Amino acid sequence: VQVVESGGGLVQPGESLRLSCAASGSIFSINHMGWYRQAPGLQRELVARISSAGITNYADSAKGRFTISRPYAQNTVYLQMDSLKPEDTAAYYCYAEAKENSRARSYIMYWGQGTQVTVSS
């Protein structure tokens, strides 16, 4: 299973970015997909996630500003980030909880390589 993100970049405070992530390869099913972020010197933290049923969870810092979506519960997930702040600066990592076949007993988290988001004036 491969997970590939795109959409990071440098923006000014108050601007928006949309991150995209696609999982591909040998996939039987995917449960959650989501985004973590990690700033220098800090632990990786969950930003948002969405289940195959469309249930979403957000970090308190993301509520009201970020929106995660997963069209038709497929293998692509988006993170719309509005009203960005300097403290949102981090490497953003997408993940997919996937089973490669029907015999798999549990879901495995697969990670992307990360995409950098920098918010600075």
Side-chain angles (χ1 to χ4, degrees):
V1 177
Q2 296 80 44
V3 177
V4 179
E5 311 104 328
S6 61
L10 171 64
V11 296
Q12 295 188 346
E15 293 186 338
S16 299
L17 272 178
R18 189 190 195 210
L19 304 183
S20 301
C21 172
S24 63
S26 178
I27 297 174
F28 173 71
S29 68
I30 293 180
N31 186 16
H32 284 93
M33 293 186 74
W35 296 89
Y36 277 71
R37 68 185 181 187
Q38 187 169 21
L42 299 179
Q43 290 188 334
R44 190 174 293 193
E45 63 175 359
L46 177 67
V47 178
R49 68 174 187 172
I50 184 167
S51 74
S52 56
I55 298 171
T56 58
N57 300 101
Y58 293 94
D60 287 343
S61 58
K63 289 178 182 177
R65 299 188 300 123
F66 294 3
T67 303
I68 190 169
S69 62
R70 186 176 166 189
Y72 308 109
Q74 293 299 313
N75 300 347
T76 301
V77 66
Y78 302 98
L79 185 67
Q80 177 67 40
M81 304 186 293
D82 299 321
S83 303
L84 283 161
K85 305 176 181 180
E87 49 265 43
D88 295 317
T89 296
Y92 284 69
Y93 297 89
C94 178
Y95 76 92
E97 289 182 337
K99 287 183 178 180
E100 293 191 16
N101 55 64
S102 61
R103 299 182 302 277
R105 293 185 176 182
S106 59
Y107 288 96
I108 297 174
M109 291 183 73
Y110 295 90
W111 295 89
Q113 79 287 352
T115 185
Q116 180 66 35
V117 172
T118 303
V119 185
S120 176
S121 55

